[in-house]
């Protein structure tokens, strides 16, 4: 049959990325407590497209993924990218895996256990060199220091989200980044809380007021101390409870350039 994708394209415009996205696929993720965790990822695969090719073979992305179906893991991502480059005759390949990751947490007072889910990403690329970024999104609670200072009774608080992206020299557990984010906020969140736990969480947040700026800086301090982390990006977003908008703070640091 005629190979339309391989037809010569006269427009001489290369494309940075062409591929597929929003493909749901089972993967395995390293779990600090249980060795491995099985979850489902939303997959994005892409390659660079030279100017002389009209298109790429979209079906081959899935074929390569299926070939590695029993080993979609962090350790095998570089091999998948190498095969994408080979099969699709590309100079550079890209892969993103977005997935829910579950951590069993104990309530602070009752010690009742429940699972919290965190949205994570593996973001990888391979040209001449392999690049990998781990992303962890952590829901937390923030309490406004200004509101506490000016109010006679109480202070406004809200749910917030801390997104941490890192490049590392050695393994950094997802759980470690979750702990950093939660320790930097006014209070962590829990799936299950009894009344004694609600009292504790509410009072802890009141005793630890944090702006989004405070949270970003606290996360940065902790990441700066970790020699395994070479580069990081922090995004903190507070879904304001007394405004019809959100507040945010962000920071990107490449420790290799210091």
């Amino acid at each position: 049959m005629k190979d339309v994708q391989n037809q010569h394209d006269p427009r001489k415009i290369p494309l940075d990325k062409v591929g597929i996205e929003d493909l749901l696929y089972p993967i395995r993720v390293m779990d600090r407590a249980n060795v491995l965790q099985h979850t489902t990822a939303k997959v994005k695969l892409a390659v660079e497209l030279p100017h002389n090719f009209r298109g790429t073979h979209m079906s081959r992305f899935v074929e390569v993924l299926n070939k590695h179906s029993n080993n979609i893991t962090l350790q095998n991502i570089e091999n998948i990218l190498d095969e994408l480059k080979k099969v699709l005759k590309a100079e550079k390949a890209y892969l993103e895996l977005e997935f829910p990751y579950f951590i069993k947490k104990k309530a602070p007072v009752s010690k009742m256990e429940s699972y919290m889910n965190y949205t994570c990403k593996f973001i990888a690329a391979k040209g001449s060199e392999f690049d990998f970024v781990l992303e962890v999104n952590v829901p937390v609670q923030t309490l406004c220091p200004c509101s506490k200072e000016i109010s006679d009774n109480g202070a406004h608080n809200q749910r917030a989200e801390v997104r941490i992206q890192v490049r590392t020299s050695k393994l950094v557990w997802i759980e470690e980044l979750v702990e950093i984010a939660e320790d930097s906020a006014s209070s962590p969140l829990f799936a299950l809380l009894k009344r004694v736990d609600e009292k504790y969480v509410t009072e802890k947040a009141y005793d630890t007021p944090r702006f989004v700026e405070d949270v970003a800086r606290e996360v940065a301090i902790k990441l700066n101390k970790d020699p395994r982390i070479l580069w990081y990006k922090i995004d903190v977003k507070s879904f304001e409870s007394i405004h019809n908008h959100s507040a945010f703070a962000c920071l990107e640091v490449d420790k290799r350039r210091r």
Side-chain angles (χ1 to χ4, degrees), residues 18 31 34 43 47 57 60 73 79 96 100 117 128 154 158 169 172 214 217 226 234 236:
V18 296
D31 185 315
N34 304 297
V43 181
V47 293
H57 295 81
R60 294 181 185 173
T73 62
N79 293 330
E96 287 187 19
N117 65 291
S128 57
Q158 53 275 317
S169 60
V172 173
D214 295 319
R217 287 172 171 141
D226 193 329
I234 305 163
V236 184

Side-chain angles (χ1 to χ4, degrees), residues 94-159:
Y94 303 86
L95 178 149
E96 287 187 19
L97 303 174
E98 180 180 318
F99 55 92
Y101 186 81
F102 294 87
I103 299 175
K104 185 180 287 187
K105 295 176 63 177
K106 289 183 179 180
V109 180
S110 70
K111 304 303 179 183
M112 296 189 71
E113 292 186 333
S114 59
Y115 282 100
M116 274 289 294
N117 65 291
Y118 303 89
T119 301
C120 303
K121 275 188 181 181
F122 293 161
I123 305 169
K126 180 75 180 286
S128 57
E129 297 183 359
F130 178 62
D131 180 54
F132 177 78
V133 173
L134 169 62
E135 176 181 308
V136 177
N137 290 273
V138 185
V140 296
Q141 180 184 181
T142 56
L143 185 134
C144 178
C146 180
S147 176
K148 178 180 177 179
E149 183 69 24
I150 65 177
S151 301
D152 292 331
N153 297 292
H156 82 80
N157 59 349
Q158 53 275 317
R159 187 182 300 180

Side-chain angles (χ1 to χ4, degrees), residues 20-184:
I20 64 171
E21 61 182 352
D22 298 327
L23 172 68
L24 295 179
Y25 212 86
I27 66 169
R28 295 181 295 170
V29 182
M30 294 178 65
D31 185 315
R32 187 171 64 177
N34 304 297
V35 184
L36 285 174
Q37 183 175 139
H38 294 263
T39 186
T40 301
K42 184 184 291 185
V43 181
K44 181 176 182 179
L45 299 168
V47 293
E48 286 184 346
L49 185 69
H51 70 85
N52 53 311
F53 286 106
R54 182 176 179 183
T56 192
H57 295 81
M58 298 295 182
S59 62
R60 294 181 185 173
F61 289 105
V62 182
E63 288 175 356
V64 170
L65 203 61
N66 286 342
K67 185 176 178 180
H68 294 267
S69 61
N70 294 321
N71 194 24
I72 309 294
T73 62
L74 173 59
Q75 295 88 341
N76 197 39
I77 285 176
E78 186 172 3
N79 293 330
I80 295 172
L81 292 173
D82 282 333
E83 189 155 352
L84 284 174
K85 289 172 59 181
K86 180 180 178 181
V87 169
L88 292 165
K89 299 179 174 61
E91 293 295 321
K92 193 168 186 178
Y94 303 86
L95 178 149
E96 287 187 19
L97 303 174
E98 180 180 318
F99 55 92
Y101 186 81
F102 294 87
I103 299 175
K104 185 180 287 187
K105 295 176 63 177
K106 289 183 179 180
V109 180
S110 70
K111 304 303 179 183
M112 296 189 71
E113 292 186 333
S114 59
Y115 282 100
M116 274 289 294
N117 65 291
Y118 303 89
T119 301
C120 303
K121 275 188 181 181
F122 293 161
I123 305 169
K126 180 75 180 286
S128 57
E129 297 183 359
F130 178 62
D131 180 54
F132 177 78
V133 173
L134 169 62
E135 176 181 308
V136 177
N137 290 273
V138 185
V140 296
Q141 180 184 181
T142 56
L143 185 134
C144 178
C146 180
S147 176
K148 178 180 177 179
E149 183 69 24
I150 65 177
S151 301
D152 292 331
N153 297 292
H156 82 80
N157 59 349
Q158 53 275 317
R159 187 182 300 180
E161 183 179 77
V162 181
R163 183 176 68 190
I164 303 174
Q165 294 181 325
V166 295
R167 290 185 173 94
T168 67
S169 60
K170 296 181 180 179
L171 173 66
V172 173
W173 293 99
I174 290 173
E175 289 88 344
E176 292 180 271
L177 297 181
V178 169
E179 289 164 2
I180 286 173
E182 292 182 338
D183 289 344
S184 301

Side-chain angles (χ1 to χ4, degrees), residues 180 184 214-226 232 234 251 255:
I180 286 173
S184 301
D214 295 319
V215 178
R217 287 172 171 141
E218 290 295 323
V219 172
I221 288 171
K222 296 174 177 64
L223 296 179
N224 285 335
K225 292 179 180 178
D226 193 329
Y232 64 80
I234 305 163
L251 172 67
K255 294 161 67 175

